[in-house]
Each structure stands twice: as structure tokens, then as C-alpha cells.
Amino acid sequence: MKWQGRRGSSNVRTSSGGGKMIGGGIGGIIIAGILWLVFGVNPMTALQTGQVVAGGGNSSAATEPATSNDRDTQFVKVVLADTEEVWHQIFKEAGSTYQEPSLILFNGQVSSACGSASSATGPFYCPGDQTVYLDKSFFVEMRQNLGITGDKQGSGDQDNQGKAGDFAQAYVIAHEVGHHVQTLLGISQQVNEASRQVTRAQANKLSVLQELQADCFAGVWAQRNQERVQFLEAGDIDEAINAAGQIGDDRLARASGGAVVPDNFTHGTSQQRVQWFTRGLESGNVQSCDTFSGAL
């Protein structure tokens, strides 16, 4: 993945951490998003029907602008800036204005408006403060656990040494930004409200649908960013598809030695995650990402 030489986002910050883990990742999507995707209704009109942000308050973690020049920090800044450029354009095409999220890098643990979390939580988005949270150990874990270390295609090219897996990491960041897009469309609150009125299995299904749409949005971002800056290299798409397949609920259940129980899924199967990422990637169009069609 080509990323050096492009601007980095000013919305990346670092946290001093604090608190014990009590929470996890949150996302969203539904009526407002479907109105936009299917009927072309301006999402800002839909937002007028209710509050967008679930939860409330600001992060209690002390943060400061990310000034580190280490490779991973600079990479995150560029990827977040790329998402800003793409989603600004998509929202503009829909007659709206995109509001950029923040991204906080932390080590070990962090406090957010959605509660506290540790590195074990993994990357997550909190609609309460419209912020993506990312433990820097995430990069090491992806390289070690998803089989994306080494140089691309076995080329031996020194420029690629240690860079394999960049796009898989970018896919995860883009997925979390996808949840921010869903929040801007007024969807998180509506999913939360709907989930309180149905059974646990049905609420889990809603969670799966919102996660799959975030995967699709990540694919849309990749396609639109490719059109914009031609950043993809040989093997990048395979990396993202591999990553999506590795984090399916069914695969994770098997890896942990547990039973595969579809009613307990909250993110989707490996096949579903690959399918929806690929759909967004091939279309480059948010209208292709209506995972909720006929679901309610």
C-alpha cells in the first residue's frame, strides 16, 4: 500500500490512558441510512428527527496531538486523512457536510465516553464522543496473528520489507470510520432503540447487519481512495480479504474452541464479512451497502 507523501490528519491524538476495562466497540445504522441509500433522502434531513449521538459526554482520558514520528503513528494519520477526503466527497455528493471523527492512539488502556477499554478490546468506535480508539499493539497483533508479515509477493523488494499488511490495517481503521459515518446518519441511536425492543438473538442480528455495513463502507472507501490517489499495490486486496475472513464470528468461535452458535454472532461470519467488504470495493457506491433491506 502506497501511503507515504500524503497529508496526515490533524485529528489523531494520543492518550495517557486510565481506568479498567468495562466496555467494548459500538457501531450503528438503520432508518436514516436506508432512506439515504435507497431513496436518496438527504441524511441531514433524517437527523432532524432525533439526536444522532448515543451515550454522551466527552472522553475522560487526557489527550494531546499525536506528534510522534514513528511509522505506525504517521501511517494512522495518513489513513485517517484519506478517509476524511473520501467521505467529505461522498457527503458532498449527497448534499451534506461530513463531520470528521477523532482518533485516539493509546497504550494498554483508555477511557472513553462509552466506558473504559484495554488493548484486549481491539479497535473500536465510540459514538458518545465520535472517536475511534486504537491501541498501538494492534499493529503488532495483526502482523503476528493474521499472517501478514514479511514482504509482499515474496518479492524481496527492500521498499516493501515490513510494509506487508498495511492495507489490512487500513481496512480495520476504515471499518471503524464506517461506524462514524453510520452515527452521522442518525443510525446508532435507532439500532440501539430497536435492539431494546426485540429478543437477544434479534438484537444480535441487528448488530451483525451494522457491522457488515461498516465492512461495506470500508470497501467503498478503498475503491474511492484508489480512484483518488491510486494507493493500492499487488496483494493489498488479498490482505484485506484475509483480515475480514480471520475476524468472522464463526472462525473466532472455532479458534477459541467454543461452539458456533449463529444466534450469538454480533459481527457476521467470515464469508459475510468478505462478501460485504468486496461488494463495497467493487461498487464504490454506498447504495450497494444496504445490509438492512428487508431486515425489519
Side-chain angles (χ1 to χ4, degrees):
M1 170 179 159
K2 301 173 184 176
W3 62 270
Q4 293 90 342
R6 294 199 298 282
R7 81 166 180 94
S9 174
S10 61
N11 292 314
V12 178
R13 304 179 67 84
T14 57
S15 170
S16 60
K20 60 183 180 178
M21 186 182 82
I22 60 174
I26 299 178
I29 244 173
I30 237 181
I31 299 174
I34 292 175
L35 288 174
W36 180 31
L37 292 169
V38 179
F39 300 108
V41 174
N42 188 321
M44 294 302 108
T45 300
L47 296 185
Q48 297 174 3
T49 62
Q51 295 181 351
V52 177
V53 180
N58 297 317
S59 170
S60 60
T63 64
E64 59 185 18
T67 58
S68 173
N69 289 321
D70 70 273
R71 184 178 180 280
D72 287 343
T73 299
Q74 296 306 310
F75 173 78
V76 169
K77 287 183 175 181
V78 171
V79 172
L80 188 62
D82 282 352
T83 67
E84 292 165 356
E85 297 288 346
V86 167
W87 285 109
H88 270 299
Q89 182 59 37
I90 291 175
F91 269 62
K92 181 179 179 180
E93 292 168 1
S96 301
T97 301
Y98 179 64
Q99 301 171 20
E100 298 172 358
S102 296
L103 188 152
I104 292 180
L105 292 169
F106 67 96
N107 288 303
Q109 56 188 19
V110 71
S111 296
S112 77
C114 296
S116 299
S118 77
S119 57
T121 306
F124 68 98
Y125 172 74
C126 175
D129 51 24
Q130 297 194 13
T131 299
V132 174
Y133 289 85
L134 177 61
D135 191 306
K136 294 186 73 172
S137 65
F138 151 76
F139 295 103
V140 176
E141 292 173 0
M142 284 198 74
R143 292 167 189 148
Q144 292 178 344
N145 298 332
L146 295 184
I148 53 176
T149 58
D151 61 314
K152 291 180 189 279
Q153 304 280 314
S155 64
D157 185 343
Q158 291 300 313
D159 288 339
N160 282 329
Q161 292 289 343
K163 297 181 183 179
D166 280 349
F167 186 61
Q169 295 158 5
Y171 149 71
V172 174
I173 296 172
H175 170 95
E176 299 305 332
V177 172
H179 286 314
H180 176 64
V181 171
Q182 294 168 335
T183 296
L184 294 181
L185 296 178
I187 296 161
S188 296
Q189 182 190 42
Q190 294 180 65
V191 167
N192 290 337
E193 290 176 354
S195 295
R196 288 193 292 267
Q197 301 174 31
V198 296
T199 66
R200 179 179 177 182
Q202 291 171 323
N204 286 345
K205 181 179 180 181
L206 289 174
S207 176
V208 167
L209 295 175
Q210 69 187 23
E211 294 294 338
L212 294 178
Q213 188 166 58
D215 282 332
C216 188
F217 281 176
V220 169
W221 163 77
Q223 177 60 32
R224 296 290 292 260
N225 204 49
Q226 174 67 4
E227 294 174 357
R228 191 178 70 88
V229 294
Q230 295 77 51
F231 75 124
L232 295 175
E233 298 178 291
D236 281 343
I237 300 303
D238 289 340
E239 286 176 6
I241 289 175
N242 176 51
Q246 294 280 359
I247 55 180
D249 285 324
D250 53 340
R251 188 180 184 108
L252 293 176
R254 294 188 186 97
S256 66
V260 177
V261 183
D263 281 350
N264 293 338
F265 291 173
T266 58
H267 285 67
T269 66
S270 293
Q271 180 181 0
Q272 288 174 321
R273 302 202 67 170
V274 169
Q275 172 191 345
W276 281 99
F277 169 76
T278 302
R279 180 176 296 191
L281 178 68
E282 292 177 346
S283 72
N285 191 329
V286 294
Q287 292 181 349
S288 69
C289 297
D290 183 11
T291 59
F292 285 89
S293 179
L296 294 177

